[in-house]
């Protein structure tokens, strides 16, 4: 469900339907097109490959009780996990009817003039109750409910403002088991709809894993080249990866893939005596892959700051 809170359309939100995002993914694109207007188109990949080096993204762990924190192979999301569930699919997007509220939703908690400390999570779910919690000072401009097409997952994504800055936020939870939350500074060169799709594809299956999750979208061969598995398209790749992503003597590659209507960055390497390490990232957060993705730590890696 899309909630438009009566604020002028967000010029930083660019939503354009792409022919490659078909089926259920198109449903979400239609919903964003109905809820937003204006804004520039998503920049071509070639332009974004040379733009930026660090994402302006933060990820924070959701509030948990008696939970064990674990990091998945899909790097960049902080998780709260409790064991005991079967894997499940995150494919597709389920649309719902749109509704509107007359005013922006402002969450304020400034009793007695006391300014609270900065929130750990701007927009996230309580693990045990699956209740959506919005931090004080956050104004929800536009919200989409249940963008993750899985009956076991409660999810929401929104355009918000916080301390004068426009942000995109998304969160999901499997009640009593696992959850994650993410926020990103919104800019005119990015697509909110595509970011939501990327996080859905990156994170949904891992919510049902009892440990680190490897989606198996690509493999890395001994020569340092990526090979796509079923349902995945390699858009571009370069080998070797940058020296701060993998040492010069290790097979490595960086590139861009398309899977389930999402475009993702991938950095892969095989360090001596170890299995191949493959990291997937939301392409929207890095404005292109290649030189725009961050360094991935390894022993002896040069400082990439």
């Amino acid at each position: 469900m899309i909630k438009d809170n009566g604020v002028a359309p967000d010029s930083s939100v660019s939503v354009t339907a792409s022919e490659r995002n078909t089926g259920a993914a198109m449903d979400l694109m239609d919903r964003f097109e109905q809820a937003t207007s204006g804004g520039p188109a998503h920049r071509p990949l070639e332009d974004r490959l040379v733009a930026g080096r660090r994402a302006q993204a933060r990820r924070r762990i959701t509030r948990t009780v008696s939970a064990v924190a674990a990091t998945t192979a899909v790097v960049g999301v902080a998780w709260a996990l409790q064991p005991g569930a079967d894997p499940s699919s995150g494919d597709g997007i389920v649309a719902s009817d749109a509704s509107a509220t007359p005013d922006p939703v402002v969450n304020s908690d400034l009793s007695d003039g006391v300014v609270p400390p900065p929130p750990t999570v701007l927009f996230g779910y309580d693990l045990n109750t699956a209740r959506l919690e919005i931090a004080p000072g956050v104004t929800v401009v536009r919200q989409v409910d249940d963008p993750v097409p899985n009956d076991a997952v409660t999810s929401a994504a929104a355009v918000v403002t916080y301390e004068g800055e426009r942000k995109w936020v998304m969160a999901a939870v499997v009640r009593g088991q696992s959850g994650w939350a993410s926020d990103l500074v919104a800019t005119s060169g990015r697509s909110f709809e595509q970011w939501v799709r990327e996080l859905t594809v990156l994170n949904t299956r891992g919510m049902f894993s009892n440990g680190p999750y490897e989606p198996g979208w690509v493999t890395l061969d001994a020569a340092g080249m990526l090979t796509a598995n079923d349902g995945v398209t390699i858009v571009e790749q370069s080998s070797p990866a940058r020296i701060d992503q993998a040492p010069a003597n290790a097979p490595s590659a960086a590139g861009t893939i398309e899977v389930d209507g999402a475009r993702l960055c991938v950095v892969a390497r095989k360090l001596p005596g170890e299995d191949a390490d493959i990291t997937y990232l939301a392409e929207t957060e890095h404005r292109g892959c290649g030189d725009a993705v961050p360094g991935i730590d390894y022993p002896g890696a040069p400082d990439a700051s």
Side-chain angles (χ1 to χ4, degrees):
M1 177 180 294
I2 298 175
K3 299 177 181 177
D4 190 334
N5 294 297
V7 175
D10 179 11
S11 62
S12 70
V13 179
S14 173
V15 183
T16 57
S18 169
E19 292 180 355
R20 68 175 182 274
N21 295 349
T22 59
M26 287 294 295
D27 293 337
L28 181 60
M29 297 176 75
D30 293 339
R31 294 162 65 196
F32 277 106
E33 287 174 351
Q34 293 169 5
T36 62
S37 62
H42 200 59
R43 290 188 297 167
L45 174 63
E46 291 77 10
D47 293 344
R48 289 177 282 129
L49 288 176
V50 296
R53 180 172 174 82
R54 298 289 182 187
Q56 300 179 67
R58 294 186 305 157
R59 306 218 189 251
R60 296 292 183 267
I61 194 164
T62 57
R63 185 182 306 171
T64 66
V65 177
S66 302
V68 178
T71 303
T72 72
V74 182
V75 169
V77 178
W79 294 75
L81 293 174
Q82 290 180 344
D86 296 327
S88 182
S89 173
D91 300 341
I93 293 291
V94 177
S96 58
D97 294 335
S99 65
T101 55
D103 298 302
V105 178
V106 181
N107 193 23
S108 178
D109 186 13
L110 303 177
S111 58
D112 300 325
V114 177
V115 178
T120 302
V121 177
L122 297 181
F123 183 94
Y125 288 98
D126 182 277
L127 180 67
N128 287 340
T129 65
R131 177 179 177 269
L132 182 62
E133 298 181 339
I134 301 173
V138 173
T139 300
V140 177
V141 178
R142 187 173 298 111
Q143 181 171 324
V144 178
D145 292 330
D146 296 319
V148 176
N150 187 301
D151 290 342
V153 178
T154 302
S155 62
V159 178
V160 305
T161 58
Y162 178 68
E163 295 186 338
E165 193 168 42
R166 185 66 57 100
K167 288 178 176 289
W168 300 341
V169 294
M170 185 174 180
V173 66
V174 177
R175 184 174 178 177
Q177 180 176 309
S178 64
W180 58 270
S182 180
D183 64 80
L184 177 70
V185 175
T187 69
S188 60
R190 304 179 185 180
S191 164
F192 179 31
E193 175 273 333
Q194 186 63 17
W195 180 69
V196 170
R197 183 62 189 167
E198 289 166 0
L199 294 193
T200 297
V201 172
L202 274 173
N203 301 327
T204 301
R205 290 179 183 270
M207 298 180 75
F208 299 90
S209 174
N210 290 334
Y213 173 70
E214 167 54 54
W217 289 318
V218 300
T219 56
L220 179 71
D221 65 24
M225 297 299 293
L226 300 173
T227 300
N229 293 321
D230 290 345
V232 179
T233 300
I234 295 177
V235 178
E236 56 85 28
Q237 66 171 302
S238 59
S239 180
R242 287 200 325 255
I243 191 65
D244 62 329
Q245 297 169 342
N249 60 346
S252 65
T256 308
I257 65 172
E258 288 185 346
V259 54
D260 294 338
R263 180 167 284 200
L264 308 176
C265 299
V266 56
V267 179
R269 69 199 179 179
K270 189 178 187 308
L271 302 180
E274 298 183 10
D275 294 333
D277 174 27
I278 302 177
T279 299
Y280 300 96
L281 303 163
E283 188 267 354
T284 299
E285 295 185 355
H286 299 280
R287 305 187 71 176
C289 303
D291 285 344
V293 301
I296 308 297
D297 291 340
Y298 63 90
D303 183 5
S305 61

